[in-house]
Amino acid sequence: MPQTAPADRLAALRAELVRQGLDGFLVPRADEHLGEYVPARADRLRWLTGFSGSAGVAVVLADRAAAFTDGRYVLQLAEQTDPALWERCHITDQPPADWLAQHAAAGARIAYDPLLFSEDSLQRFADKGIALVATDENPIDAVWADQPAAPMAPALPHPLRFAGLDSARKREQVAASLTVEKQDAAVVTDPASIAWLLNIRGDDVPFTPFALGFLLVHADGRCELFMAPEKLPPETRAWIGNAVSVQDRAALPGALARLKGKRVRVDAAGSPAWFAQQLRAAGAEIVSGMDPCILPKARKNEVERQGCRDAHARDAVAVCRFLHWMDTAAGQQTEISAAEQLLAYRRDVELFRGESFPAISGAGPNGAIIHYRVSPETNRAIQPNELYLIDSGAQYSDGTTDITRTVWTGPAAPPDDLRARVTRVLKGHIALATLAFPKGVAGPHIDAFARAALWQVGLDYDHGTGHGVGSYLSVHEGPVSISRAARPIPIESGMILSNEPGFYLPGAYGIRLENLLLAIDADFPGAAKPFLRFETLTWAPFDRCLIDITMLTRAELAWIDAYHTKVEAIVSPHLHGVDRTWLAASCAALG
Amino acid sequence: MPQTAPADRLAALRAELVRQGLDGFLVPRADEHLGEYVPARADRLRWLTGFSGSAGVAVVLADRAAAFTDGRYVLQLAEQTDPALWERCHITDQPPADWLAQHAAAGARIAYDPLLFSEDSLQRFADKGIALVATDENPIDAVWADQPAAPMAPALPHPLRFAGLDSARKREQVAASLTVEKQDAAVVTDPASIAWLLNIRGDDVPFTPFALGFLLVHADGRCELFMAPEKLPPETRAWIGNAVSVQDRAALPGALARLKGKRVRVDAAGSPAWFAQQLRAAGAEIVSGMDPCILPKARKNEVERQGCRDAHARDAVAVCRFLHWMDTAAGQQTEISAAEQLLAYRRDVELFRGESFPAISGAGPNGAIIHYRVSPETNRAIQPNELYLIDSGAQYSDGTTDITRTVWTGPAAPPDDLRARVTRVLKGHIALATLAFPKGVAGPHIDAFARAALWQVGLDYDHGTGHGVGSYLSVHEGPVSISRAARPIPIESGMILSNEPGFYLPGAYGIRLENLLLAIDADFPGAAKPFLRFETLTWAPFDRCLIDITMLTRAELAWIDAYHTKVEAIVSPHLHGVDRTWLAASCAALG
């Protein structure tokens, strides 16, 4: 019989810990791929605590327990968890390692599931002198009676007309990159890497179209895929070919053991610690290094680039229809109905496969919550004369989109100070969109261009400026991002990055203006070294009533007018009647 | 009898290596403070090889030897060294560690002087599998018969009206910073740190007014200074007080040995490896960390800030007189005579103490050599209708200056493409000068602002944008610099940084426009977090005939006009007659 009450679940876990001879246990919000979205089976944190946010960890001792999350979710954590059971902590103000150092008895056996933590994340405990014990079997799985089954969606071929390069060629390239480093094999635990390498897509988790699995790639080009064979229909089995062996997940430990004496690349930041532990125990030599698919996946090939342009042009039709619809939303619609309307328009778009993340639909003060996710409890009516922010995206077979627009609901004119702030955000957006830069420049070096106009008056936004985006894959794709905190990995031709400066006044409103950018070679005749620039992929008007053109340089004004001209040229042929008239008015020259 | 021929010197060194049982030896261009300028006694690389550049290393084996330097000096290395004795290598294309890995026999005893290498620099050899042997006695000193004596210039008080904070208070603050980190003591090997901490200045090396010595600072506030007592006249001995013990350099090993069992901070990047080696052998616990004086020295106090403003205002008079003089230089003067003329004007300035570095005086193609140092052999006549670049600076008792101006020698108008490039460099200069930014931002995050206008057309410059500057101390002061390659150490209020974008067309000309900037708190009423901005310290007109105002935004044009207005207000009262008329014309509004 399932334990339904949170207190019963916690008690059951504690009993299991006693049975396993453990004094404590860490429960992260993670699956064994350390992915952004986890299948229901892996949502142990939610089952145990009730907390449904996308980041957090619980720490359970015999006599006390705490749940930790970051600034985005502290209110939600407080609402969803029982204070009689859980101390609720801000994960940066009071990290779990500090809490354990304070509350765990000396010599206590505190356990973790090595499939749910990277080696780098465990290091944070070691740095505080906390010695953790790896479990062989997750104690929650032992007591979670109605734990959902692992997802079994079929993995399907991602055809060459979208993938652009066949899997055999990709595997050759990856194998060659191992040979150069004198490595015999690499562990691939990110299902997005597998999806890219084998040109397959799946449906095991929401929003990101991959099939969960693991893979070993060998320097001789052989691949071993660990995925339930029933997820691979004959069509897919034929598609991936004989150079890729398929084994069940249960065969993974044996395959790792066979790497004895080999040099094996493992990603200490991106892969569960279990892999390095198994390999070390088997007598393999571990070389720490990035998953060898990450960089080639990020560099989109010509077919993927064109697919992404095409997907964005079609997505723009849905977004423009929605923005017109929004003109009459005030007093009529809610955050939920607006997000549903945009989704409805997108369902009309060719090759639509689903949303690329849960839309952020925030009116008035809800727009200031950077990672807001509307729920029936928070759903707010869209009111006249306020800002409405919508950050959304879609998965198409040929590409992934992500766009944010901020509109004024009217009918009065927006206040001047609001227009000034929106215009500063727009100036930052343009500064990044128009930048050219030499090869070698990385995200941390250019993040400030998107902020300088805000900084000039003492304003800023507390999030990065941009993240990588996949090609009909994850909307948050590594390794490059535009942020001061990012690793300085150079931007390369073919990478897709978001450009999303904002400004948030808590309790009042949020502004964010986001397009996706494609990094491409810049052709400067006679240049002494190679340069890159950005091609804008996203096409939808910026709300003209929020732009103060007196604050713009001639170059900025010219950029907006040229952008709007192109929006109209791309989208107008696919609109009808009043939608088309609206778009023409929205894209008329500002200058 | 001194060995005068390079071949004799090399032979003598090899004989000494045999005597010491060594198979090879590394000779860096370094003294035991790892400083930028070394006393003649420590210029072993020059004595051995003839090479006089400011960066390089020689590697001597029994049967072959190589000398290495970077791109700035490869031509000079080739000219100054005998190819029969030395292979000449580019230090990044063929690092010494690679050369040794290729040419040294397995098991060879390759030695280095641990006073001349940091632990971090030795790591580069260890990473290549090269095991090095530390020498107790430098073999060159054993065979350099006429090696100059160590410099013995007196260390003199740096009065409070320039230093702003007494040494006792500084020592308290540094001691407190050790206590916070639970460290018992720190090793200070940078003479600039000692000069700052004890409020003394000296004259042991050119250009940087410090006295060579070492110091141990204890968490209880005591300091042990290791410096020849005869360098400290009674006035200075009284000035530094009884809390600072003075011992001869020879007492240093014993003092380190007394730190047995203590936690001692040593700077692995900035201090010779000898210190950590001695401390480890003595049984001290080494904690790697930055010299505890570096950050407080970089944050200039209010008196130092005002001193720097005053020094720059006076320096500007000399620079403006010189720039006027340059109007008639073409066809009359040379690079050397121009640099001498500027120095002559500076000698007239109150509190002038010397140049802060060797002036870079480059006409035409010599301006494209980024670290050009004119010599009688390279001295070039300043010709009509070319660019002339002069990068120079002075030491004053109240501050250190560093300025670069690029002028057109006329009489014809400069070509449009040249004006466009100068204007792009100027746009970069203005972008950095006018930036405001939140606390936490570091040099690598803002370097690109100075480059974006060049990048826009595929141009760039191959040096950092800015370096820290001391207060009557080193013109190149850590720890902050404005460069993508710099460590991301946040800029703080009171730091002085150069702003020196440029553009160089090899064989044709060089452009560089440099002012110094003081980082100060930006007062934005109601700002959610603290911000900084830059105050410009340097006052001299930019050559107006090189500026294309059609390429400037309104804000950029307003900045230049306001800057020139202020130049005239500050400098004009100290000029006479035609100099004053020239300045008024040079500073008239461009718009």
Side-chain angles (χ1 to χ4, degrees):
Chain A
M1 217 183 86
Q3 305 90 3
T4 48
D8 294 341
R9 296 176 181 188
L10 185 55
L13 173 60
R14 283 181 167 139
E16 176 65 18
L17 294 181
V18 170
R19 200 189 65 75
Q20 293 195 18
L22 299 172
D23 300 307
F25 189 57
L26 303 179
V27 185
R29 200 276 186 183
D31 72 352
E32 60 189 18
H33 308 279
L34 307 184
E36 182 175 3
Y37 300 104
V38 305
R41 174 181 183 74
D43 209 350
R44 299 175 182 91
L45 181 65
R46 183 174 190 169
W47 174 82
L48 180 65
T49 66
F51 170 62
S52 65
S54 73
V57 61
V59 184
V60 176
L61 299 176
D63 54 351
R64 62 197 306 162
F68 304 76
T69 191
D70 61 44
R72 292 173 292 172
Y73 294 116
V74 280
L75 291 178
Q76 184 177 335
L77 180 70
E79 282 163 15
Q80 294 183 322
T81 57
D82 180 349
L85 302 176
W86 300 98
E87 297 168 46
R88 284 85 61 93
C89 306
H90 190 296
I91 200 162
T92 39
D93 296 348
Q94 192 179 10
D98 290 358
W99 187 90
L100 268 174
Q102 195 181 342
H103 298 299
R109 284 173 55 82
I110 312 296
Y112 70 99
D113 182 340
L115 281 160
L116 306 182
F117 286 88
S118 70
E119 293 213 291
D120 283 1
S121 65
L122 291 174
Q123 188 58 44
R124 268 169 251 151
F125 291 90
D127 288 345
K128 297 280 169 70
I130 313 278
L132 297 172
V133 183
T135 53
D136 285 333
E137 185 202 4
N138 193 303
I140 289 188
D141 297 359
V143 297
W144 185 354
D146 53 353
Q147 185 175 26
M152 278 293 160
L156 299 174
H158 184 54
L160 269 183
R161 70 178 182 283
F162 301 132
L165 187 67
D166 69 34
S167 171
R169 187 95 186 82
K170 291 180 180 179
R171 296 195 310 267
E172 268 171 33
Q173 289 176 359
V174 168
S177 73
L178 297 180
T179 302
V180 164
E181 304 278 340
K182 300 188 172 60
Q183 295 160 357
D184 299 304
V187 167
V188 178
T189 63
D190 180 348
S193 290
I194 297 171
W196 172 81
L197 185 66
L198 302 185
N199 287 335
I200 55 175
R201 294 295 186 269
D203 194 21
D204 282 340
V205 298
F207 307 112
T208 308
F210 53 49
L212 299 176
F214 298 101
L215 187 133
L216 294 177
V217 52
H218 296 267
D220 61 9
R222 280 181 307 118
C223 283
E224 297 176 78
L225 174 64
F226 301 89
M227 188 180 281
E230 55 268 43
K231 288 171 70 167
L232 296 161
E235 169 200 8
T236 307
R237 195 64 202 79
W239 172 248
I240 61 178
N242 291 330
V244 179
S245 74
V246 180
Q247 300 160 69
D248 199 84
R249 167 72 175 80
L252 185 54
L256 294 173
R258 284 193 298 276
L259 293 172
K260 176 180 178 174
K262 304 288 187 188
R263 276 169 63 85
V264 184
R265 189 193 299 192
V266 183
D267 193 324
S271 290
W274 181 85
F275 288 85
Q277 291 168 1
Q278 293 280 313
L279 286 164
R280 263 188 219 107
E285 180 189 353
I286 309 280
V287 186
S288 186
M290 200 189 292
D291 168 345
C293 301
I294 298 282
L295 266 175
K297 168 160 58 68
R299 299 179 197 119
K300 274 69 182 173
N301 62 45
E302 291 300 334
V303 170
E304 291 172 317
R305 296 180 196 195
Q306 190 55 45
C308 203
R309 290 184 189 106
D310 296 344
H312 276 83
R314 297 194 311 277
D315 192 63
V317 176
V319 172
C320 289
R321 290 174 72 192
F322 170 76
L323 290 174
H324 180 207
W325 176 91
M326 272 300 301
D327 269 3
T328 53
Q332 311 286 325
Q333 304 292 341
T334 67
E335 293 167 341
I336 289 178
S337 70
E340 283 173 348
Q341 184 62 47
L342 175 53
L343 180 56
Y345 286 130
R346 280 192 165 121
R347 286 191 206 283
D348 289 346
V349 177
E350 196 186 344
L351 299 178
F352 176 77
R353 297 289 173 259
E355 290 179 287
S356 57
F357 60 99
I360 296 171
S361 170
N366 285 345
I369 303 169
I370 293 173
H371 291 89
Y372 180 62
R373 185 167 180 178
V374 57
S375 67
E377 294 73 38
T378 65
N379 189 24
R380 194 169 176 282
I382 295 170
Q383 292 168 17
N385 303 320
E386 67 178 10
L387 278 189
Y388 169 73
L389 180 157
I390 182 153
D391 184 349
S392 70
Q395 295 287 4
Y396 301 96
S397 299
D398 48 355
T400 303
T401 71
D402 182 0
I403 173 174
T404 310
R405 286 296 182 271
T406 305
V407 298
W408 177 250
T409 59
D416 285 346
D417 63 338
L418 181 64
R419 293 173 72 229
R421 286 168 173 187
V422 172
T423 305
R424 287 185 186 279
V425 173
L426 182 60
K427 286 168 80 80
H429 182 97
I430 296 170
L432 194 60
T434 56
L435 192 70
F437 52 92
K439 276 194 183 172
V441 167
H445 308 138
I446 63 173
D447 171 85
F449 283 101
R451 302 177 193 268
L454 289 163
W455 286 355
Q456 214 56 38
V457 291
L459 304 178
D460 199 5
Y461 49 94
D462 286 334
H463 58 74
T465 297
H467 53 81
V469 176
S471 181
Y472 185 37
L473 267 178
S474 175
V475 77
H476 297 141
E477 180 177 279
V480 166
S481 62
I482 301 177
S483 158
R484 293 206 300 279
R487 281 187 297 166
I489 298 172
I491 298 168
E492 294 185 60
S493 181
M495 290 181 174
I496 298 173
L497 292 160
S498 72
N499 172 13
E500 46 182 316
F503 174 73
Y504 309 90
L505 193 63
Y509 59 79
I511 302 162
R512 187 160 63 249
L513 303 177
E514 178 189 23
N515 284 345
L516 297 193
L517 303 173
L518 172 66
I520 57 174
D521 291 321
D523 183 26
F524 294 117
K529 55 185 172 184
F531 275 73
L532 298 168
R533 63 180 183 86
F534 291 122
E535 173 186 330
T536 291
L537 292 170
T538 307
W539 305 109
F542 296 102
D543 190 343
R544 55 201 293 115
C545 82
L546 289 168
I547 302 172
D548 178 352
I549 65 167
T550 68
M551 292 173 61
L552 300 176
T553 65
R554 285 161 296 182
E556 288 165 344
L557 188 57
W559 184 89
I560 297 171
D561 282 343
Y563 176 74
H564 279 160
T565 299
K566 197 152 176 194
V567 170
E568 190 180 0
I570 288 171
V571 179
S572 191
H574 306 282
L575 295 182
H576 305 283
V578 288
D579 278 344
R580 186 180 283 190
T581 314
W582 172 88
L583 186 67
S586 300
C587 292
L590 280 167
Chain B
M1 217 184 86
Q3 304 91 2
T4 47
D8 294 341
R9 296 176 182 188
L10 186 53
L13 172 61
R14 282 180 166 140
E16 176 65 18
L17 294 180
V18 170
R19 200 189 66 76
Q20 294 194 19
L22 299 171
D23 299 309
F25 189 58
L26 304 178
V27 185
R29 200 276 187 182
D31 71 353
E32 59 189 19
H33 308 279
L34 307 184
E36 181 174 4
Y37 299 106
V38 305
R41 175 182 182 74
D43 209 350
R44 299 176 181 90
L45 181 65
R46 184 174 189 170
W47 176 82
L48 180 66
T49 66
F51 171 60
S52 66
S54 74
V57 61
V59 183
V60 175
L61 299 176
D63 55 348
R64 61 197 308 163
F68 304 76
T69 191
D70 62 44
R72 292 174 290 171
Y73 294 117
V74 280
L75 291 178
Q76 185 178 334
L77 179 70
E79 282 163 14
Q80 295 183 321
T81 56
D82 180 350
L85 303 176
W86 301 98
E87 296 169 44
R88 285 85 61 91
C89 305
H90 190 297
I91 200 163
T92 39
D93 295 349
Q94 191 180 10
D98 290 359
W99 188 91
L100 268 175
Q102 196 181 339
H103 297 299
R109 285 171 55 80
I110 312 295
Y112 70 100
D113 182 340
L115 281 160
L116 306 181
F117 286 88
S118 70
E119 293 212 290
D120 282 1
S121 65
L122 292 174
Q123 189 58 44
R124 266 169 252 149
F125 292 89
D127 288 345
K128 297 280 169 71
I130 312 280
L132 297 173
V133 183
T135 52
D136 286 332
E137 186 202 4
N138 193 302
I140 288 188
D141 297 0
V143 297
W144 185 354
D146 53 351
Q147 186 176 25
M152 278 293 160
L156 299 174
H158 184 53
L160 269 183
R161 69 179 184 281
F162 301 132
L165 188 66
D166 69 34
S167 171
R169 187 99 186 78
K170 290 181 179 178
R171 296 193 312 264
E172 268 172 32
Q173 290 177 358
V174 168
S177 74
L178 297 180
T179 302
V180 164
E181 303 279 340
K182 299 189 173 62
Q183 295 160 354
D184 299 304
V187 168
V188 177
T189 62
D190 181 348
S193 290
I194 298 172
W196 172 81
L197 185 66
L198 303 184
N199 288 334
I200 55 175
R201 294 296 186 270
D203 194 20
D204 282 341
V205 299
F207 307 112
T208 309
F210 53 48
L212 299 176
F214 297 102
L215 187 134
L216 294 177
V217 52
H218 297 268
D220 60 11
R222 279 181 307 117
C223 283
E224 297 176 80
L225 175 63
F226 300 89
M227 187 179 282
E230 56 267 42
K231 289 171 71 167
L232 296 162
E235 170 200 5
T236 308
R237 195 65 202 78
W239 172 249
I240 62 179
N242 291 329
V244 180
S245 73
V246 180
Q247 299 160 69
D248 199 85
R249 166 74 176 78
L252 185 55
L256 294 172
R258 283 195 297 277
L259 293 173
K260 176 179 179 175
K262 305 288 188 188
R263 275 169 63 85
V264 184
R265 188 195 299 192
V266 183
D267 193 324
S271 291
W274 181 83
F275 288 86
Q277 291 169 0
Q278 293 278 314
L279 287 164
R280 265 190 217 105
E285 180 189 352
I286 309 281
V287 187
S288 188
M290 201 189 292
D291 167 344
C293 301
I294 298 282
L295 265 175
K297 168 160 59 67
R299 300 178 196 120
K300 274 70 180 174
N301 62 46
E302 290 301 333
V303 170
E304 291 172 318
R305 296 180 196 194
Q306 190 54 46
C308 203
R309 290 183 189 106
D310 296 343
H312 276 84
R314 297 195 311 277
D315 192 62
V317 177
V319 173
C320 288
R321 290 175 72 192
F322 170 77
L323 290 174
H324 180 206
W325 177 90
M326 274 299 301
D327 268 3
T328 53
Q332 310 287 324
Q333 303 292 342
T334 67
E335 294 167 340
I336 288 180
S337 71
E340 284 173 348
Q341 184 62 47
L342 175 52
L343 180 56
Y345 285 130
R346 280 192 165 122
R347 286 192 206 281
D348 289 346
V349 177
E350 198 186 342
L351 299 179
F352 175 77
R353 297 290 174 257
E355 291 180 287
S356 59
F357 60 99
I360 297 171
S361 171
N366 284 345
I369 304 169
I370 293 173
H371 290 89
Y372 180 61
R373 186 168 180 180
V374 58
S375 67
E377 293 73 38
T378 66
N379 190 24
R380 193 169 176 282
I382 295 169
Q383 292 167 18
N385 302 321
E386 68 178 9
L387 278 189
Y388 170 72
L389 180 157
I390 183 154
D391 185 348
S392 70
Q395 295 286 4
Y396 300 97
S397 299
D398 50 353
T400 302
T401 71
D402 183 0
I403 173 173
T404 310
R405 287 295 181 273
T406 305
V407 298
W408 176 251
T409 58
D416 285 346
D417 64 336
L418 180 64
R419 293 173 72 230
R421 285 168 174 188
V422 172
T423 305
R424 288 184 185 279
V425 174
L426 181 61
K427 286 167 79 82
H429 182 98
I430 296 170
L432 194 60
T434 57
L435 192 70
F437 52 92
K439 275 194 183 173
V441 167
H445 307 138
I446 63 173
D447 172 84
F449 283 101
R451 301 177 193 268
L454 289 163
W455 286 356
Q456 216 54 38
V457 291
L459 305 178
D460 198 5
Y461 50 94
D462 286 333
H463 58 73
T465 297
H467 53 81
V469 177
S471 181
Y472 186 36
L473 267 178
S474 176
V475 77
H476 296 139
E477 181 179 278
V480 166
S481 62
I482 302 176
S483 158
R484 292 207 301 278
R487 283 186 297 166
I489 298 171
I491 297 168
E492 295 186 58
S493 180
M495 290 180 174
I496 298 173
L497 292 160
S498 71
N499 172 12
E500 46 183 315
F503 175 72
Y504 308 90
L505 192 63
Y509 59 78
I511 302 162
R512 186 158 67 249
L513 303 177
E514 177 188 22
N515 285 345
L516 297 193
L517 303 172
L518 172 66
I520 57 174
D521 291 323
D523 183 26
F524 294 117
K529 55 185 172 183
F531 275 74
L532 298 168
R533 62 180 184 85
F534 291 123
E535 173 187 329
T536 292
L537 292 171
T538 307
W539 304 109
F542 296 102
D543 190 344
R544 56 202 292 117
C545 83
L546 289 168
I547 303 172
D548 179 352
I549 64 169
T550 67
M551 293 173 62
L552 300 177
T553 65
R554 285 162 295 182
E556 288 165 344
L557 189 56
W559 184 89
I560 297 171
D561 283 342
Y563 177 73
H564 279 160
T565 299
K566 197 151 174 195
V567 170
E568 191 181 359
I570 286 170
V571 179
S572 190
H574 305 283
L575 296 181
H576 305 282
V578 289
D579 279 345
R580 186 181 282 189
T581 314
W582 172 89
L583 186 67
S586 300
C587 292
L590 281 167

